[in-house]
Amino acid sequence: MSLRITVIGTGYLGATHAACMAELGFEVLGLDTDPKKVEQLSAGILPFHEPGLPELLKKHTTTGRLRFTTSYEEAGAWGDVHFIAVGTPQKAGDHAADMTYVDNATTALAANITKNALIVGKSTVPVGTARRLQELVKSVAKTSVNVELLWNPEFLREGFAVHDTLTPDRLVVGGGTVEAVATLRRVYASALSLDTPFITTDLETAELVKVAANAFLATKISFINAFAEVTEHAGGDIRVLADAIGLDKRIGRRFLNAGVGFGGGCLPKDIRALQARVSELGLDRTMRFLSEVDEINLRRRERVVHLATEILGELDGRTIAVLGVAFKPNSDDVRDSPALDVAAQLYNAGADVSIYDPEAMNNARARFPRLNYADSMDDALRGSHLTILLTEWEEFTSLVPQQLEALVESNSIIDGRNVLDPQTWTERGWRFESLGRRSESVLISSSQ
Ligand code: NAD
């Protein structure tokens, strides 16, 4: 018999997982406590930007294979495998993760399950959560049904979420009886047929794999950004340095792009939650390096504001065009976005900030309504004294000076992502600044 799948929490992760499970042929019911989201998704409208996902949503809501609800009663009675994909944001005023949503979702679901079923956690959680939830499930589930809880962390990247869900590079499953793991193998049969590694382990390892991966990636970015600070002071070109060390296969070139740093709904809060959790375990020093990783990352934002001040003399009353506010290209996510943070810092320092982003305008406006949101890139650039590139959308990385010259007031640009060719700009008489390269070293290295 075909498995019926529910996905609890239909945000970036859950909506993607639900639509991809439908694409794999399963009947899927997505559940969210936000009725507006459920209404939109039911109508085949994706409330966020994710390439390839609108098509899957439309396709499967039309056939009825994919439905959405706010009812735990319906989900609990219907599903065989329930994925938990609700948020685990940072707590206000604390580094720890806010587990309210996971706890509420698990309690409501378990209490409403009326047939034998699996609960499979996908949210990123502090180690120890799954074992605690097992007890919670035991205490609220009906005694007439057998409900097992496993953990199956998610590694998808926003911008590539459909690809990563349909063809993940690995699957990690923590806990579960042999039968439960076999059921999960049926869910992932398509990926397994492509020889995707399927790693079964205990609950704690599964939880830790996810946060360890994110901590490693954050560290790699801050590592190169720390060297960017050095080259800014000592001379040198961070891109050449990254290329050269990246050729060492033990190091690898990916995640070594110096720039304004990492952000989004995962890396920043995950490294903070990991520190908080490890401190709770009495290991205060163990993850302390991650607070340095965090600080290096946040200092890069200050560096952009410092460069802007250096170029403009003062920010008050000066017009700055900010290109990009999403935390990364191909996403409209502005959670902890370095770009939006820089824009807000410039605004708070008195600058007249005009923003353009191909997809993230609405989300950014909802967070910082007082910034100017331009209708087009040209509108953002018109009359600006300084242009700052902060998200590497393709339409920005392919910019050439001639495109801007008829619009801007002054030929000054900060490349906050190190994606433009410095020589092209400086040869046209632009003041060109970037992160990790002094302007004079830019000239030397780019002419080699
Ligand atoms: P999100 O905020 O986009 O979505 C969370 C959803 O859960 C929201 O729609 C919210 O309304 C819903 N929700 C909250 N409480 C609920 C409840 N009790 N019952 C049902 N629905 C409820 O968050 P996200 O980015 O999708 O992240 C979800 C989890 O996945 C987090 O733990 C995150 O760390 C992890 N994760 C996210 C990504 C990513 O790229 N976004 C990747 C891997 C892992």
Side-chain angles (χ1 to χ4, degrees), residues 192-252:
L192 294 177
S193 71
L194 303 171
D195 287 338
T196 306
F198 187 84
I199 297 159
T200 52
T201 180
D202 52 62
L203 291 169
E204 289 76 13
T205 308
E207 293 168 323
L208 282 170
V209 166
K210 174 64 192 175
V211 289
N214 277 358
F216 187 86
L217 295 173
T219 303
K220 203 169 173 191
I221 296 170
S222 280
F223 176 88
I224 200 67
N225 279 334
F227 272 90
E229 283 190 9
V230 175
T231 54
E232 277 157 14
H233 286 83
D237 184 324
I238 198 64
R239 277 195 61 157
V240 178
L241 186 149
D243 288 345
I245 63 169
L247 285 168
D248 184 331
K249 288 193 177 60
R250 295 169 302 174
I251 296 172

Short mmCIF file of all heavy atoms in Angstrom, two decimals, residues 192-252:
data_model
loop_
_atom_site.label_atom_id
_atom_site.label_comp_id
_atom_site.label_asym_id
_atom_site.label_seq_id
_atom_site.Cartn_x
_atom_site.Cartn_y
_atom_site.Cartn_z
N LEU A 192 17.51 6.51 -3.21
CA LEU A 192 18.33 5.33 -2.92
C LEU A 192 18.66 4.55 -4.19
O LEU A 192 19.73 3.94 -4.30
CB LEU A 192 17.62 4.44 -1.90
CG LEU A 192 17.48 5.06 -0.50
CD1 LEU A 192 16.70 4.16 0.43
CD2 LEU A 192 18.85 5.37 0.10
N SER A 193 17.75 4.63 -5.17
CA SER A 193 18.02 3.93 -6.44
C SER A 193 19.20 4.58 -7.17
O SER A 193 19.76 4.00 -8.10
CB SER A 193 16.78 3.93 -7.33
OG SER A 193 16.56 5.23 -7.83
N LEU A 194 19.55 5.80 -6.77
CA LEU A 194 20.71 6.48 -7.37
C LEU A 194 21.97 6.31 -6.53
O LEU A 194 22.94 7.05 -6.65
CB LEU A 194 20.40 7.99 -7.51
CG LEU A 194 19.16 8.36 -8.32
CD1 LEU A 194 18.85 9.85 -8.18
CD2 LEU A 194 19.33 7.98 -9.78
N ASP A 195 21.91 5.34 -5.61
CA ASP A 195 23.05 5.05 -4.73
C ASP A 195 23.38 6.17 -3.75
O ASP A 195 24.54 6.36 -3.36
CB ASP A 195 24.32 4.71 -5.54
CG ASP A 195 24.22 3.33 -6.16
OD1 ASP A 195 23.43 2.52 -5.64
OD2 ASP A 195 24.90 3.10 -7.18
N THR A 196 22.38 6.95 -3.39
CA THR A 196 22.60 7.99 -2.38
C THR A 196 22.96 7.34 -1.06
O THR A 196 22.25 6.43 -0.61
CB THR A 196 21.30 8.82 -2.21
OG1 THR A 196 20.89 9.28 -3.48
CG2 THR A 196 21.49 9.99 -1.25
N PRO A 197 24.04 7.77 -0.42
CA PRO A 197 24.40 7.17 0.87
C PRO A 197 23.26 7.33 1.89
O PRO A 197 22.68 8.42 2.00
CB PRO A 197 25.63 7.96 1.31
CG PRO A 197 26.20 8.52 0.05
CD PRO A 197 25.04 8.75 -0.87
N PHE A 198 22.94 6.26 2.58
CA PHE A 198 21.85 6.26 3.57
C PHE A 198 22.50 5.88 4.89
O PHE A 198 22.87 4.72 5.10
CB PHE A 198 20.79 5.24 3.14
CG PHE A 198 19.53 5.24 3.97
CD1 PHE A 198 18.50 6.13 3.70
CD2 PHE A 198 19.36 4.32 5.00
CE1 PHE A 198 17.32 6.12 4.45
CE2 PHE A 198 18.19 4.30 5.75
CZ PHE A 198 17.17 5.21 5.47
N ILE A 199 22.65 6.85 5.74
CA ILE A 199 23.39 6.62 6.99
C ILE A 199 22.42 6.46 8.14
O ILE A 199 21.65 7.38 8.45
CB ILE A 199 24.36 7.80 7.26
CG1 ILE A 199 25.39 7.87 6.13
CG2 ILE A 199 25.04 7.68 8.62
CD1 ILE A 199 26.05 9.21 5.98
N THR A 200 22.41 5.29 8.76
CA THR A 200 21.54 5.10 9.93
C THR A 200 22.40 5.18 11.18
O THR A 200 23.52 4.66 11.23
CB THR A 200 20.84 3.73 9.87
OG1 THR A 200 21.84 2.74 9.67
CG2 THR A 200 19.82 3.67 8.76
N THR A 201 21.85 5.86 12.17
CA THR A 201 22.62 6.09 13.38
C THR A 201 21.67 6.31 14.55
O THR A 201 20.46 6.11 14.42
CB THR A 201 23.57 7.29 13.15
OG1 THR A 201 24.32 7.51 14.34
CG2 THR A 201 22.83 8.58 12.81
N ASP A 202 22.23 6.77 15.68
CA ASP A 202 21.34 7.06 16.82
C ASP A 202 20.79 8.48 16.70
O ASP A 202 21.24 9.27 15.86
CB ASP A 202 22.11 6.86 18.14
CG ASP A 202 23.41 7.63 18.14
OD1 ASP A 202 23.37 8.87 18.04
OD2 ASP A 202 24.48 6.99 18.19
N LEU A 203 19.84 8.79 17.55
CA LEU A 203 19.17 10.09 17.47
C LEU A 203 20.16 11.24 17.64
O LEU A 203 20.11 12.24 16.92
CB LEU A 203 18.10 10.19 18.57
CG LEU A 203 16.88 9.28 18.40
CD1 LEU A 203 16.04 9.28 19.67
CD2 LEU A 203 16.02 9.72 17.21
N GLU A 204 21.07 11.11 18.60
CA GLU A 204 21.98 12.21 18.92
C GLU A 204 22.92 12.50 17.74
O GLU A 204 23.16 13.66 17.39
CB GLU A 204 22.81 11.90 20.18
CG GLU A 204 22.00 11.93 21.47
CD GLU A 204 21.12 10.69 21.69
OE1 GLU A 204 21.31 9.69 20.96
OE2 GLU A 204 20.25 10.73 22.57
N THR A 205 23.44 11.43 17.13
CA THR A 205 24.36 11.66 16.00
C THR A 205 23.61 12.35 14.87
O THR A 205 24.13 13.29 14.26
CB THR A 205 24.97 10.33 15.52
OG1 THR A 205 25.53 9.66 16.63
CG2 THR A 205 26.03 10.56 14.47
N ALA A 206 22.38 11.91 14.61
CA ALA A 206 21.61 12.51 13.51
C ALA A 206 21.41 14.00 13.77
O ALA A 206 21.58 14.83 12.87
CB ALA A 206 20.27 11.80 13.37
N GLU A 207 21.07 14.34 14.99
CA GLU A 207 20.88 15.76 15.32
C GLU A 207 22.18 16.53 15.14
O GLU A 207 22.21 17.65 14.60
CB GLU A 207 20.41 15.90 16.78
CG GLU A 207 19.03 15.34 17.04
CD GLU A 207 18.72 15.23 18.54
OE1 GLU A 207 19.62 14.90 19.34
OE2 GLU A 207 17.56 15.47 18.91
N LEU A 208 23.28 15.90 15.60
CA LEU A 208 24.57 16.60 15.58
C LEU A 208 25.15 16.73 14.17
O LEU A 208 25.87 17.69 13.88
CB LEU A 208 25.57 15.87 16.49
CG LEU A 208 25.38 16.14 17.99
CD1 LEU A 208 26.25 15.18 18.81
CD2 LEU A 208 25.73 17.58 18.34
N VAL A 209 24.85 15.76 13.29
CA VAL A 209 25.38 15.83 11.92
C VAL A 209 24.97 17.16 11.29
O VAL A 209 25.77 17.85 10.65
CB VAL A 209 24.86 14.66 11.06
CG1 VAL A 209 25.13 14.91 9.58
CG2 VAL A 209 25.50 13.35 11.48
N LYS A 210 23.72 17.53 11.50
CA LYS A 210 23.22 18.75 10.88
C LYS A 210 23.94 19.99 11.41
O LYS A 210 24.42 20.84 10.65
CB LYS A 210 21.70 18.85 11.12
CG LYS A 210 21.08 20.14 10.67
CD LYS A 210 21.18 20.34 9.16
CE LYS A 210 20.82 21.75 8.76
NZ LYS A 210 21.01 22.01 7.34
N VAL A 211 24.02 20.11 12.72
CA VAL A 211 24.63 21.33 13.27
C VAL A 211 26.14 21.34 13.05
O VAL A 211 26.74 22.41 12.88
CB VAL A 211 24.28 21.55 14.76
CG1 VAL A 211 22.82 21.95 14.91
CG2 VAL A 211 24.59 20.36 15.64
N ALA A 212 26.74 20.15 13.00
CA ALA A 212 28.18 20.09 12.72
C ALA A 212 28.45 20.56 11.28
O ALA A 212 29.40 21.32 11.04
CB ALA A 212 28.70 18.67 12.91
N ALA A 213 27.59 20.15 10.35
CA ALA A 213 27.77 20.58 8.96
C ALA A 213 27.67 22.10 8.86
O ALA A 213 28.50 22.76 8.23
CB ALA A 213 26.72 19.91 8.07
N ASN A 214 26.67 22.67 9.51
CA ASN A 214 26.50 24.12 9.44
C ASN A 214 27.62 24.87 10.16
O ASN A 214 28.07 25.92 9.71
CB ASN A 214 25.12 24.54 9.98
CG ASN A 214 24.05 24.39 8.90
OD1 ASN A 214 24.35 24.02 7.78
ND2 ASN A 214 22.81 24.67 9.25
N ALA A 215 28.07 24.31 11.28
CA ALA A 215 29.17 24.96 12.01
C ALA A 215 30.44 24.95 11.16
O ALA A 215 31.19 25.91 11.11
CB ALA A 215 29.41 24.24 13.34
N PHE A 216 30.65 23.84 10.45
CA PHE A 216 31.83 23.74 9.59
C PHE A 216 31.78 24.77 8.46
O PHE A 216 32.75 25.48 8.19
CB PHE A 216 31.96 22.33 9.01
CG PHE A 216 33.25 22.12 8.27
CD1 PHE A 216 34.39 21.73 8.95
CD2 PHE A 216 33.33 22.34 6.90
CE1 PHE A 216 35.59 21.57 8.27
CE2 PHE A 216 34.53 22.18 6.22
CZ PHE A 216 35.66 21.79 6.91
N LEU A 217 30.62 24.87 7.82
CA LEU A 217 30.48 25.81 6.70
C LEU A 217 30.66 27.25 7.16
O LEU A 217 31.33 28.05 6.51
CB LEU A 217 29.12 25.62 6.02
CG LEU A 217 28.92 24.26 5.34
CD1 LEU A 217 27.49 24.11 4.84
CD2 LEU A 217 29.91 24.09 4.18
N ALA A 218 30.05 27.57 8.31
CA ALA A 218 30.18 28.94 8.85
C ALA A 218 31.64 29.23 9.17
O ALA A 218 32.16 30.32 8.89
CB ALA A 218 29.31 29.08 10.10
N THR A 219 32.32 28.23 9.73
CA THR A 219 33.72 28.41 10.10
C THR A 219 34.58 28.64 8.85
O THR A 219 35.49 29.47 8.84
CB THR A 219 34.23 27.18 10.88
OG1 THR A 219 33.38 27.00 12.02
CG2 THR A 219 35.66 27.34 11.33
N LYS A 220 34.26 27.91 7.80
CA LYS A 220 35.05 28.05 6.57
C LYS A 220 34.90 29.47 6.01
O LYS A 220 35.89 30.09 5.59
CB LYS A 220 34.58 26.99 5.55
CG LYS A 220 35.63 26.67 4.52
CD LYS A 220 35.29 25.45 3.67
CE LYS A 220 36.31 25.31 2.55
NZ LYS A 220 35.95 24.34 1.52
N ILE A 221 33.68 29.98 6.04
CA ILE A 221 33.45 31.34 5.53
C ILE A 221 34.18 32.36 6.41
O ILE A 221 34.85 33.27 5.92
CB ILE A 221 31.94 31.66 5.46
CG1 ILE A 221 31.26 30.74 4.44
CG2 ILE A 221 31.72 33.11 5.07
CD1 ILE A 221 29.74 30.81 4.45
N SER A 222 34.05 32.20 7.73
CA SER A 222 34.71 33.17 8.60
C SER A 222 36.23 33.04 8.56
O SER A 222 36.95 34.01 8.76
CB SER A 222 34.19 33.05 10.04
OG SER A 222 32.96 33.74 10.14
N PHE A 223 36.70 31.84 8.28
CA PHE A 223 38.15 31.63 8.15
C PHE A 223 38.70 32.52 7.03
O PHE A 223 39.64 33.27 7.22
CB PHE A 223 38.43 30.15 7.85
CG PHE A 223 39.87 29.84 7.59
CD1 PHE A 223 40.72 29.54 8.64
CD2 PHE A 223 40.39 29.89 6.30
CE1 PHE A 223 42.06 29.27 8.41
CE2 PHE A 223 41.72 29.63 6.06
CZ PHE A 223 42.57 29.32 7.11
N ILE A 224 38.05 32.45 5.87
CA ILE A 224 38.58 33.25 4.75
C ILE A 224 38.33 34.74 5.02
O ILE A 224 39.14 35.59 4.65
CB ILE A 224 37.99 32.78 3.39
CG1 ILE A 224 38.87 33.25 2.23
CG2 ILE A 224 36.56 33.24 3.17
CD1 ILE A 224 40.22 32.62 2.15
N ASN A 225 37.25 35.06 5.71
CA ASN A 225 36.98 36.47 6.00
C ASN A 225 37.96 37.02 7.04
O ASN A 225 38.26 38.21 7.02
CB ASN A 225 35.53 36.66 6.45
CG ASN A 225 34.59 36.73 5.25
OD1 ASN A 225 35.01 37.11 4.17
ND2 ASN A 225 33.33 36.38 5.45
N ALA A 226 38.46 36.17 7.91
CA ALA A 226 39.49 36.62 8.85
C ALA A 226 40.77 36.95 8.06
O ALA A 226 41.43 37.96 8.31
CB ALA A 226 39.77 35.54 9.89
N PHE A 227 41.09 36.11 7.06
CA PHE A 227 42.25 36.42 6.22
C PHE A 227 41.99 37.67 5.39
O PHE A 227 42.93 38.41 5.07
CB PHE A 227 42.62 35.21 5.35
CG PHE A 227 43.57 34.30 6.06
CD1 PHE A 227 43.09 33.27 6.85
CD2 PHE A 227 44.94 34.51 6.00
CE1 PHE A 227 43.96 32.45 7.56
CE2 PHE A 227 45.82 33.70 6.71
CZ PHE A 227 45.33 32.67 7.49
N ALA A 228 40.74 37.92 5.05
CA ALA A 228 40.41 39.16 4.32
C ALA A 228 40.77 40.37 5.17
O ALA A 228 41.29 41.37 4.67
CB ALA A 228 38.94 39.17 3.93
N GLU A 229 40.52 40.27 6.47
CA GLU A 229 40.90 41.38 7.37
C GLU A 229 42.41 41.58 7.32
O GLU A 229 42.90 42.70 7.33
CB GLU A 229 40.47 41.08 8.81
CG GLU A 229 39.00 41.28 9.06
CD GLU A 229 38.64 41.21 10.56
OE1 GLU A 229 39.55 41.18 11.41
OE2 GLU A 229 37.44 41.17 10.86
N VAL A 230 43.13 40.46 7.28
CA VAL A 230 44.60 40.55 7.26
C VAL A 230 45.07 41.21 5.96
O VAL A 230 45.88 42.13 5.96
CB VAL A 230 45.25 39.16 7.44
CG1 VAL A 230 46.77 39.26 7.30
CG2 VAL A 230 44.86 38.56 8.77
N THR A 231 44.54 40.75 4.83
CA THR A 231 45.02 41.31 3.55
C THR A 231 44.63 42.77 3.40
O THR A 231 45.34 43.54 2.77
CB THR A 231 44.51 40.49 2.34
OG1 THR A 231 43.08 40.40 2.41
CG2 THR A 231 45.10 39.11 2.31
N GLU A 232 43.51 43.15 4.01
CA GLU A 232 43.12 44.57 3.96
C GLU A 232 44.18 45.43 4.64
O GLU A 232 44.40 46.58 4.26
CB GLU A 232 41.77 44.77 4.65
CG GLU A 232 40.60 44.45 3.73
CD GLU A 232 39.33 44.09 4.49
OE1 GLU A 232 39.24 44.35 5.71
OE2 GLU A 232 38.40 43.54 3.84
N HIS A 233 44.82 44.88 5.66
CA HIS A 233 45.80 45.67 6.40
C HIS A 233 47.23 45.45 5.91
O HIS A 233 48.03 46.38 5.87
CB HIS A 233 45.71 45.37 7.91
CG HIS A 233 44.50 46.00 8.51
ND1 HIS A 233 43.25 45.42 8.46
CD2 HIS A 233 44.34 47.19 9.14
CE1 HIS A 233 42.38 46.22 9.04
NE2 HIS A 233 43.01 47.30 9.46
N ALA A 234 47.53 44.20 5.56
CA ALA A 234 48.92 43.88 5.22
C ALA A 234 49.18 43.96 3.72
O ALA A 234 50.33 43.92 3.27
CB ALA A 234 49.25 42.48 5.72
N GLY A 235 48.12 44.07 2.93
CA GLY A 235 48.27 43.96 1.48
C GLY A 235 48.03 42.51 1.09
O GLY A 235 48.12 41.60 1.91
N GLY A 236 47.71 42.32 -0.19
CA GLY A 236 47.42 40.96 -0.65
C GLY A 236 46.02 40.91 -1.22
O GLY A 236 45.23 41.82 -1.04
N ASP A 237 45.76 39.84 -1.93
CA ASP A 237 44.47 39.70 -2.62
C ASP A 237 43.80 38.42 -2.14
O ASP A 237 44.29 37.32 -2.39
CB ASP A 237 44.71 39.64 -4.13
CG ASP A 237 43.42 39.60 -4.92
OD1 ASP A 237 42.45 38.96 -4.44
OD2 ASP A 237 43.37 40.19 -6.00
N ILE A 238 42.68 38.56 -1.46
CA ILE A 238 42.02 37.42 -0.83
C ILE A 238 41.51 36.41 -1.86
O ILE A 238 41.45 35.21 -1.58
CB ILE A 238 40.88 37.90 0.11
CG1 ILE A 238 40.50 36.81 1.09
CG2 ILE A 238 39.67 38.38 -0.67
CD1 ILE A 238 41.55 36.41 2.06
N ARG A 239 41.16 36.90 -3.05
CA ARG A 239 40.64 35.94 -4.04
C ARG A 239 41.76 35.03 -4.55
O ARG A 239 41.57 33.83 -4.71
CB ARG A 239 40.00 36.68 -5.22
CG ARG A 239 38.58 37.08 -4.90
CD ARG A 239 37.83 37.45 -6.13
NE ARG A 239 37.74 36.35 -7.08
CZ ARG A 239 36.80 36.27 -7.99
NH1 ARG A 239 35.88 37.19 -8.09
NH2 ARG A 239 36.77 35.26 -8.84
N VAL A 240 42.90 35.63 -4.77
CA VAL A 240 44.04 34.81 -5.23
C VAL A 240 44.41 33.83 -4.12
O VAL A 240 44.66 32.64 -4.37
CB VAL A 240 45.24 35.72 -5.60
CG1 VAL A 240 46.43 34.87 -6.01
CG2 VAL A 240 44.85 36.68 -6.71
N LEU A 241 44.40 34.33 -2.88
CA LEU A 241 44.74 33.47 -1.75
C LEU A 241 43.75 32.29 -1.66
O LEU A 241 44.14 31.13 -1.50
CB LEU A 241 44.71 34.29 -0.46
CG LEU A 241 45.18 33.62 0.82
CD1 LEU A 241 45.81 34.66 1.75
CD2 LEU A 241 44.06 32.94 1.57
N ALA A 242 42.45 32.60 -1.80
CA ALA A 242 41.43 31.54 -1.71
C ALA A 242 41.60 30.52 -2.85
O ALA A 242 41.51 29.31 -2.63
CB ALA A 242 40.03 32.16 -1.75
N ASP A 243 41.87 31.04 -4.05
CA ASP A 243 42.07 30.13 -5.19
C ASP A 243 43.25 29.20 -4.92
O ASP A 243 43.19 28.00 -5.18
CB ASP A 243 42.37 30.93 -6.47
CG ASP A 243 41.13 31.64 -7.00
OD1 ASP A 243 40.01 31.31 -6.56
OD2 ASP A 243 41.29 32.55 -7.84
N ALA A 244 44.31 29.79 -4.39
CA ALA A 244 45.54 29.01 -4.20
C ALA A 244 45.38 27.96 -3.11
O ALA A 244 45.78 26.81 -3.30
CB ALA A 244 46.70 29.96 -3.88
N ILE A 245 44.76 28.32 -1.98
CA ILE A 245 44.60 27.28 -0.94
C ILE A 245 43.49 26.30 -1.34
O ILE A 245 43.54 25.13 -1.00
CB ILE A 245 44.37 27.85 0.48
CG1 ILE A 245 43.08 28.65 0.59
CG2 ILE A 245 45.56 28.63 0.97
CD1 ILE A 245 42.70 28.99 2.03
N GLY A 246 42.52 26.79 -2.09
CA GLY A 246 41.39 25.94 -2.49
C GLY A 246 41.80 24.82 -3.43
O GLY A 246 41.09 23.82 -3.56
N LEU A 247 42.92 25.00 -4.10
CA LEU A 247 43.40 23.94 -5.00
C LEU A 247 43.88 22.72 -4.24
O LEU A 247 44.01 21.63 -4.82
CB LEU A 247 44.51 24.49 -5.90
CG LEU A 247 44.01 25.41 -7.02
CD1 LEU A 247 45.17 26.13 -7.68
CD2 LEU A 247 43.22 24.60 -8.05
N ASP A 248 44.17 22.91 -2.97
CA ASP A 248 44.52 21.77 -2.12
C ASP A 248 43.23 20.99 -1.87
O ASP A 248 42.29 21.52 -1.27
CB ASP A 248 45.10 22.32 -0.80
CG ASP A 248 45.57 21.21 0.12
OD1 ASP A 248 45.02 20.09 0.06
OD2 ASP A 248 46.49 21.47 0.91
N LYS A 249 43.20 19.75 -2.32
CA LYS A 249 41.95 18.98 -2.24
C LYS A 249 41.47 18.79 -0.81
O LYS A 249 40.28 18.61 -0.56
CB LYS A 249 42.11 17.62 -2.92
CG LYS A 249 42.19 17.73 -4.44
CD LYS A 249 42.04 16.36 -5.10
CE LYS A 249 42.05 16.48 -6.61
NZ LYS A 249 43.31 17.08 -7.15
N ARG A 250 42.41 18.83 0.13
CA ARG A 250 41.99 18.68 1.53
C ARG A 250 41.20 19.90 1.99
O ARG A 250 40.45 19.84 2.94
CB ARG A 250 43.22 18.52 2.44
CG ARG A 250 43.99 17.25 2.18
CD ARG A 250 45.32 17.29 2.91
NE ARG A 250 46.11 18.45 2.51
CZ ARG A 250 47.26 18.81 3.06
NH1 ARG A 250 47.75 18.11 4.05
NH2 ARG A 250 47.93 19.86 2.63
N ILE A 251 41.42 21.03 1.31
CA ILE A 251 40.75 22.27 1.71
C ILE A 251 39.53 22.51 0.82
O ILE A 251 38.42 22.64 1.31
CB ILE A 251 41.74 23.47 1.64
CG1 ILE A 251 42.87 23.25 2.67
CG2 ILE A 251 41.01 24.80 1.90
CD1 ILE A 251 44.00 24.26 2.58
N GLY A 252 39.74 22.54 -0.50
CA GLY A 252 38.61 22.74 -1.43
C GLY A 252 38.26 24.22 -1.54
O GLY A 252 38.37 24.97 -0.58
#
